[in-house]
Amino acid sequence: PGTVVIGPAATGPAGPADRTAWFRHDHYGMFVHYGSYAVGGRQEWVKYAERMDDAAYRRYAEHFDPDLYDARAVARLAKEAGQRYVVLTAKHHEGFCLWDTATTDYCVARTRGRDLVREHVEALRAQGLRVGVYFSLLDWSHPHYTVDWSHPLRDAPDVAALNATRDMGVFRQYMREQLRELLTGYGPIDYLFVDFTQPGVRHGLPGKSADDWDSPGLLAMCRELQPQMVVNDRFGLPADLVTPEQYQPVRPIEVDGERVLWEACQTINGAWGYDRDNLDDKSPELIARMLAETVSLGGNLLLNVGPTARGEVLDRHADILRSVGRWLRRHGDAIYGAGPADVAPPSGVIYTQRGDKLYAHVLAWPFKTLYLPGLGGRVGFARLLWDGSQVEVDAVPERPEGSNLNPAAPPPGTLTLTLPVRRPDELVPVI
Ligand code: H79
């Protein structure tokens, strides 16, 4: 591969071959937010945002028909996009279940005779992709789920009276059984994304804590039923990784001084669930850059698409994903299995490292020369990754005594790469 060869390997987040090994290696996944909210076409928080009651909101489930949801097409798209795992919302905050559950009739198995989780799992396995399931801890459909600050009924006239009729113990049983179904009915699940725990009072109402869910009990059940499964931290307990949301970290994430595994969940267009009138798509270039930045900081990127009410990923979004996938086919060596480098890049450059190879992602193509501080003498050979062709490397030449031809030359120890004038026609050129 086209690389700079440097000294001993820097490691990414260190760790034994554990349940997260594949996750640390793969770095890039697809998030799919699909549920009855797609019928609204105004994102997945619409019930809350518009303070809809159950009667109004149930129309979405009644009219939810995933006739164009083709899990195999989604899996193929993810594969073409270079994404190595796909996480489907089995249940979002609305409470509508995409699998065949015995716990409620509020599920697509009852309304349409489909089990979208089974379709998802089987399609991913057939493509050799990792299987992810998203499960919301919040559930606005359950009569015993207490009204808190993020509930559609939070502005109801007497929330205290409402809550007096609600018993979270009943709800805890319900969610535990749902999770048990998901973890026992579909074979091995590689990744569980639970969402979310936020204690503390807002708008005069409490949030929910790990105790409200019995998170210790749920996490223990996860470990017992699926010991190999990667679990995120949103039970409100430390688990396998942390999950910044629509936020790109600017340095490796540390907890108690130790680097931890993380995954940035991001969206193509700023929305999770289908948002019909939203045209705020990220460009393929931006996504490639976000992915490179993510890997350079030891994280993963989980990029969301929100299928239409009928279940299709928009052509527009599929095209963006495939464009990044084409880039990854040529630049995957700089992403998969790569991690943070042990040297700091100059501005406008992102480094990733894999073994003894350093990859320089060049965000702004300079004229003729790229100076890489600290790499003088450490690089044996360099090339453009996209075509494998050589890039001349040199230490910065000593400035002859009295010369004024290059008065502001970079400091000693700087490596000079001599670049072609023509920038490679790639989303992010890598050397
Ligand atoms: O599933 C996706 C989101 O629906 C869910 N997590 C991702 C993966 C999520 N979104 N926001 N949150 C979790 C945190 C809650 C934010 C809130 Fe709000 C601020 C709730 C109420 C105020 C955002 C703004 C949602 C409604 C208004």
Side-chain angles (χ1 to χ4, degrees), residues 237-404:
L237 301 175
D240 296 318
L241 69 148
V242 302
T243 49
E245 177 159 330
Q246 296 206 57
Y247 173 74
Q248 283 300 115
V250 294
R251 61 182 74 89
I253 302 183
E254 295 185 355
V255 174
D256 301 330
E258 297 280 320
R259 283 193 183 182
V260 294
L261 189 56
W262 58 270
E263 176 188 64
C265 48
Q266 294 285 5
T267 61
I268 278 208
N269 60 356
W272 301 100
Y274 182 50
D275 193 20
R276 185 183 59 203
D277 302 337
N278 177 324
L279 300 173
D280 206 8
D281 297 344
K282 294 178 178 66
S283 67
E285 291 84 351
L286 178 56
I287 293 166
R289 196 173 85 203
M290 289 165 68
L291 181 55
E293 278 167 354
T294 296
V295 173
S296 79
L297 298 174
N300 281 24
L301 179 65
L302 183 63
L303 183 64
N304 181 74
V305 291
T308 68
R310 297 179 67 183
E312 279 190 303
V313 175
L314 293 173
D315 288 345
R316 214 172 74 224
H317 291 168
D319 289 344
I320 292 168
L321 294 178
R322 288 196 197 95
S323 174
V324 178
R326 271 192 300 281
W327 178 77
L328 274 166
R329 271 191 286 287
R330 295 189 184 122
H331 299 87
D333 286 339
I335 299 293
Y336 307 119
D342 63 0
V343 272
S347 73
V349 176
I350 296 166
Y351 285 159
T352 60
Q353 186 169 339
R354 182 183 195 192
D356 64 356
K357 295 194 173 62
L358 180 75
Y359 299 88
H361 304 245
V362 183
L363 302 183
W365 197 252
F367 167 61
K368 196 159 75 177
T369 334
L370 181 64
Y371 294 111
L372 301 178
L375 289 183
R378 294 181 69 190
V379 173
F381 191 77
R383 48 198 201 172
L384 300 178
L385 186 51
W386 82 274
D387 70 349
S389 69
Q390 182 176 12
V391 171
E392 290 292 343
V393 300
D394 247 317
V396 174
E398 290 293 315
R399 181 148 52 104
E401 199 61 39
S403 165
N404 62 359

Side-chain angles (χ1 to χ4, degrees), residues 31 33 44-45 48-49 89 92-93 134 149-150 154 193 195-196 198 202-203 234 245 265 272:
F31 214 167
H33 271 68
E44 77 289 355
W45 276 73
Y48 165 90
T89 50
H92 204 267
H93 311 335
Y134 167 107
W149 64 267
S150 60
R154 71 165 226 209
F193 190 122
D195 196 25
F196 61 89
Q198 244 172 342
R202 297 185 197 197
H203 313 290
R234 295 193 182 189
E245 177 159 330
C265 48
W272 301 100

